[in-house]
Amino acid sequence: MSNSAPIGIFDSGIGGLSVWREIARQLPREDTIYFADQIHIPYGPRSLQEIRSFSEAITRFLLDRKCKMIVVACNAASAAALQHLRAAFPEVPFVGMEPAVKPAAETTRTGVVGVLATPATFQGELFASVVERFANGVQLVKEVCPGLVQQIEAGRLNTPDTREMLDRFLIPIRAANADTIVLGCTHYPFVIEALRQLAPGVNVIDPAPAVARQVDRVLQERGLLCAEDRIGRHRFVTSGDLDQYQQILRLLVNVETDALQMYWEAGHVVKM
Ligand code: DGL
């Protein structure tokens, strides 16, 4: 694997761009390929087995494009597939997502933490293991947030209907007196402003900066950091609607680009 090879990043949609933008900020020399599997969004309500097969095929697609590392910028895919991917591609470094229960449990004063995520994330062994290792007697109030991923995909970030939805998800979290909220889905940092307005004084944790630091550490350990003094190039791929994708890239991360369209055929990601 070469140092100048790109970092492959994927999510069910545009949520992983919250991780991509931190990687691009912290590691400006690195090239990236970002894959949004928008034809299959949302992943959250799907079975872990189905998410695992999507994740494996997308990983193959990114490795075929010579990626030196894969960032699973999706909590649902990390819960369903991270262990499997590491076993299936033992030579490839992977970085995945896990809900930030550890920093939340360390900093909460009320001893109550809200966790916003999708059903797949709460189902996986990864979440159970994070809770077992780090919750340390802290009470977790879990909310699955139906429909929120779709609102964010549609670019409806701080609109009255999204605020109303968030307000509803916050009811049990407020009632339990949580002072910290963990964003356990990579889409949710795009509504962090709205959440902070609706829950003043509550500490809302976006895990992306810590994940980007982990990407840096792993590349460093493996001697894979880009050594050239240059500005990284970024490519964006979707399995969904290209125009919509380009619009949301502009809106969310200020990227103007000709994105690439890929398709699914017999369980593989292909170009027509
Ligand atoms: N962004 C993804 C995550 O972090 C999931 C969204 C979805 O349900 O597709 O879990």
Side-chain angles (χ1 to χ4, degrees), residues 11-12 15 41-45 73-76 118 121 149 184-187:
D11 179 40
S12 59
I41 201 156
Y43 275 11
C74 174
N75 289 78
T118 68
T121 296
V149 162
C185 167
T186 54
H187 279 75

Side-chain angles (χ1 to χ4, degrees), residues 10 51 70 127 149 180 242 266:
F10 75 90
I51 301 171
I70 304 294
F127 186 70
V149 162
T180 309
L242 198 56

Side-chain angles (χ1 to χ4, degrees), residues 12-82:
S12 59
I14 46 74
L17 292 170
S18 63
V19 177
W20 169 85
R21 71 180 164 188
E22 270 302 314
I23 294 175
R25 200 178 62 80
Q26 291 187 29
L27 298 164
R29 293 174 174 182
E30 301 291 340
D31 290 352
T32 64
I33 303 179
Y34 182 90
F35 186 100
D37 190 14
Q38 290 178 300
I39 197 85
H40 291 136
I41 201 156
Y43 275 11
R46 293 176 186 271
S47 74
L48 297 182
Q49 199 180 342
E50 189 176 23
I51 301 171
R52 200 174 299 142
S53 73
F54 295 152
S55 302
E56 184 172 338
I58 296 166
T59 297
R60 282 189 202 283
F61 166 83
L62 292 168
L63 294 177
D64 284 347
R65 267 134 205 93
K66 309 277 174 260
C67 288
K68 61 182 173 183
M69 162 190 270
I70 304 294
V71 179
V72 185
C74 174
N75 289 78
S78 298
L82 194 56

Side-chain angles (χ1 to χ4, degrees), residues 178-248:
D179 63 351
T180 309
I181 293 176
V182 169
L183 302 182
C185 167
T186 54
H187 279 75
Y188 300 168
F190 290 113
V191 292
I192 205 164
E193 291 304 319
L195 275 170
R196 285 184 175 142
Q197 285 163 12
L198 291 164
V202 171
N203 178 25
V204 186
I205 302 183
D206 171 6
V211 174
R213 285 195 295 276
Q214 177 68 2
V215 168
D216 187 3
R217 256 193 308 270
V218 173
L219 288 176
Q220 210 161 331
E221 275 165 22
R222 304 251 185 156
L224 283 173
L225 275 174
C226 176
E228 288 166 52
D229 189 11
R230 59 162 188 168
I231 305 209
R233 285 163 307 155
H234 305 292
R235 275 174 291 164
F236 297 88
V237 184
T238 182
S239 61
D241 183 279
L242 198 56
D243 286 341
Q244 240 170 309
Y245 186 50
Q246 292 179 162
Q247 264 176 40
I248 199 100

Side-chain angles (χ1 to χ4, degrees), residues 49 56-57 65 71-72 92 96 106 126 148 160 184 252 257 264 270:
Q49 199 180 342
E56 184 172 338
R65 267 134 205 93
V71 179
V72 185
V92 178
E106 282 166 2
L126 190 65
L148 184 55
L252 295 186
T257 188
W264 283 91
V270 297

